Amino acid sequence: MTQISEAPAAIQAQKPPARFRIHRAWFVAAVTFVTIIGAAAFRSLPGLLIDPLHAEFGWSRGTIGAAVSINLALYGLTAPFAAALMDRFGIRRVVAVALTVIALGSGLTVWMTAAWQLLLCWGLLVGLGSGSMALAFAATVTNRWFTERRGLVSGILTAASASGQLIFLPLLSWMITRYDWRPAAVTVALAALAVVPFVWLLLRDHPADVGASPYGAKEFVPKPPPVQGAASRAVGVLLSAMRTGPFWLLAGTFAICGASTNGLVQTHFVPAAHDHGMPVTAAASLLAVIGVFDVVGTIASGWFTDRYSPRRLLAVYYALRGISLLFLPMLLAPAVHPPMIFFIVFYGLDWVATVPPTLALCREQYGDDSAIVFGWVLASHQVGAALVAFLGGVARDTFGSYDVVWYASGALCAAAALMALVIRRKPTVALRAATA
């Protein structure tokens, strides 16, 4: 009896304990998430600077909007080249240098005394650095490290920017109200620098660097050799993509996306609410709350993208966004009331929910070159944002209010919904052969 009872115990002692291992791809995604959060500080500041810079230096809102416009345009135009540079030099090096440039540009604004210095520091330097930290960064990480759950991961990484906005907007608005805009600019610089060690020590360029396969892959994927001629490749991919109809539809819808989010609401919501008597801290807090629901909406959009047609999702997102913007001029008031809260929740859920289905359509249409193609699509997003950031300031100077801009953006969103529906489904093709 003793031998019979001891046998199972001996077998159990020899059996190795079960271990639950998390795939390395999720750690890379987590580092990317934290990196984008840290870099989101500079995305939170432009809308808060308009009134303080106008009051201190007497610069027109159009002039300040021009600096934001350059920033947004370079944010987009740099992205496709950054994606190609990541293929050439690696993700870590490109992102670390980009964060350093952001810190330099933001820090130098403390000593500016002329408008051209604002254009140089906040427009050129921060724009170039932020372009390398754009969504093409998230697309590159997703494409390299994941073959499954790509929609969910792209949604999570896209939501990181909104999470950073949630963290930094209340803090920066409090600093500007309590002290000055300069401590806020220094905070942005320090936040960007603080992320650099995490990127350099924890981020890896490819699963093969750690002997792993992409998440969901059935077999090991070797690391491709560095791609020479980053600039020529980015331009070549653009020229090939421009010969396809889906590219123009994706670029057009995403330009409207940028115009109705970064260019309009992120840049002009706080001064527009302040025009109606709302305190700056209250308006900035509402913009931060948009970031809360943006996280929920973007992650949910990634989940939906893995299961439903991305074309139909885009059409729904743009239609709902346009409806909400048409109602916004009637909701602005000195105090925060329930209808405004409803707008913030509704609009926040839709803020960048367009990114996961747009990424999915780029992968479907352009295969291995989808990250660079998405970089160019993102460039159109930022060009649209840049135009409205500038024209919104001009409209405010000309008409004394932002109402005409809200209505025009609502109409553009309706057009984007129709454009999304006519994107044809097409087998995945690679543009690499066309650019060789």
Side-chain angles (χ1 to χ4, degrees), residues 32 35-36 39 42-43 71-87 89-102 124-141 199 203 375 378 382:
T32 305
T35 302
I36 296 175
F42 67 85
R43 299 281 303 279
N71 178 296
L72 293 172
L74 288 176
Y75 177 90
L77 294 172
T78 306
F81 296 98
L85 286 171
M86 289 177 188
D87 288 340
F89 298 105
I91 299 174
R92 286 196 303 170
R93 292 179 181 177
V94 173
V95 173
V97 171
L99 287 167
T100 304
V101 172
I102 290 170
L124 180 62
L125 292 179
V126 177
L128 289 173
S130 62
S132 300
M133 288 293 302
L135 292 174
F137 170 41
T140 301
V141 170
V199 171
L203 195 62
L378 178 63
Q382 295 308 115

Side-chain angles (χ1 to χ4, degrees), residues 111-256:
W111 292 283
M112 67 181 180
T113 56
W116 68 266
Q117 295 167 346
L118 176 67
L119 299 177
L120 174 64
C121 295
W122 201 261
L124 180 62
L125 292 179
V126 177
L128 289 173
S130 62
S132 300
M133 288 293 302
L135 292 174
F137 170 41
T140 301
V141 170
T142 303
N143 289 348
R144 290 187 184 183
W145 283 89
F146 293 86
T147 59
E148 294 181 357
R149 302 289 188 269
R150 280 179 168 176
L152 176 62
V153 174
S154 62
I156 293 173
L157 296 183
T158 303
S161 181
S163 301
Q165 177 176 290
L166 169 64
I167 295 170
F168 287 107
L169 260 176
L171 173 64
L172 296 178
S173 64
W174 176 80
M175 283 184 174
I176 292 172
T177 303
R178 183 70 180 270
Y179 300 104
D180 189 18
W181 61 269
R182 289 176 177 81
V186 172
T187 300
V188 170
L190 294 177
L193 284 178
V195 179
V196 173
F198 291 94
V199 171
W200 194 255
L201 296 176
L202 302 177
L203 195 62
R204 292 295 178 267
D205 294 329
H206 194 276
D209 290 341
V210 292
S213 300
Y215 180 82
K218 304 302 182 184
E219 57 185 18
F220 182 79
V221 178
K223 183 177 180 178
V227 179
Q228 302 292 332
S232 61
R233 183 183 172 216
V235 174
V237 169
L238 171 64
L239 295 176
S240 297
M242 287 173 63
R243 293 195 286 267
T244 64
F247 173 80
W248 292 105
L249 291 170
L250 288 169
T253 55
F254 226 40
I256 294 172

Side-chain angles (χ1 to χ4, degrees), residues 45-402:
L45 193 55
L48 303 177
L49 289 179
I50 293 178
D51 285 337
L53 294 179
H54 175 70
E56 179 172 340
F57 298 106
W59 301 334
S60 70
R61 291 176 175 84
T63 298
I64 301 169
V68 178
S69 178
I70 293 172
N71 178 296
L72 293 172
L74 288 176
Y75 177 90
L77 294 172
T78 306
F81 296 98
L85 286 171
M86 289 177 188
D87 288 340
R88 174 67 178 88
F89 298 105
I91 299 174
R92 286 196 303 170
R93 292 179 181 177
V94 173
V95 173
V97 171
L99 287 167
T100 304
V101 172
I102 290 170
L104 179 65
S106 180
L108 288 176
T109 59
V110 173
W111 292 283
M112 67 181 180
T113 56
W116 68 266
Q117 295 167 346
L118 176 67
L119 299 177
L120 174 64
C121 295
W122 201 261
L124 180 62
L125 292 179
V126 177
L128 289 173
S130 62
S132 300
M133 288 293 302
L135 292 174
F137 170 41
T140 301
V141 170
T142 303
N143 289 348
R144 290 187 184 183
W145 283 89
F146 293 86
T147 59
E148 294 181 357
R149 302 289 188 269
R150 280 179 168 176
L152 176 62
V153 174
S154 62
I156 293 173
L157 296 183
T158 303
S161 181
S163 301
Q165 177 176 290
L166 169 64
I167 295 170
F168 287 107
L169 260 176
L171 173 64
L172 296 178
S173 64
W174 176 80
M175 283 184 174
I176 292 172
T177 303
R178 183 70 180 270
Y179 300 104
D180 189 18
W181 61 269
R182 289 176 177 81
V186 172
T187 300
V188 170
L190 294 177
L193 284 178
V195 179
V196 173
F198 291 94
V199 171
W200 194 255
L201 296 176
L202 302 177
L203 195 62
R204 292 295 178 267
D205 294 329
H206 194 276
D209 290 341
V210 292
S213 300
Y215 180 82
K218 304 302 182 184
E219 57 185 18
F220 182 79
V221 178
K223 183 177 180 178
V227 179
Q228 302 292 332
S232 61
R233 183 183 172 216
V235 174
V237 169
L238 171 64
L239 295 176
S240 297
M242 287 173 63
R243 293 195 286 267
T244 64
F247 173 80
W248 292 105
L249 291 170
L250 288 169
T253 55
F254 226 40
I256 294 172
C257 178
S260 57
T261 53
N262 302 76
L264 181 60
V265 175
Q266 188 170 53
T267 304
H268 295 293
F269 177 81
V270 172
H274 189 56
D275 283 346
H276 287 76
M278 185 180 294
V280 171
T281 51
S285 297
L286 288 177
L287 200 57
V289 172
I290 287 178
V292 177
F293 290 95
D294 181 17
V295 174
V296 177
T298 308
I299 294 175
S301 177
W303 187 87
F304 289 141
T305 301
D306 288 331
R307 290 161 177 79
Y308 302 105
S309 167
R311 297 161 185 78
R312 295 180 180 178
L313 289 175
L314 282 179
V316 171
Y317 296 155
Y318 284 122
L320 293 177
R321 182 185 300 174
I323 292 171
S324 66
L325 288 173
L326 291 175
F327 281 95
L328 181 58
M330 296 177 281
L331 303 179
L332 293 171
V336 179
H337 45 81
M340 174 58 79
I341 296 295
F342 179 79
F343 167 83
I344 294 297
V345 174
F346 189 86
Y347 184 86
L349 290 171
D350 193 272
W351 177 275
V352 287
T354 55
V355 173
T358 301
L359 266 171
L361 289 171
C362 285
R363 282 194 294 266
E364 174 190 305
Q365 298 286 337
Y366 304 108
D368 291 339
D369 291 313
S370 60
I372 296 178
V373 174
F374 179 73
W376 286 112
V377 172
L378 178 63
S380 70
H381 180 281
Q382 295 308 115
V383 169
L387 286 173
V388 173
F390 172 67
L391 293 176
V394 172
R396 172 61 178 81
D397 291 333
T398 303
F399 302 108
S401 75
Y402 289 99

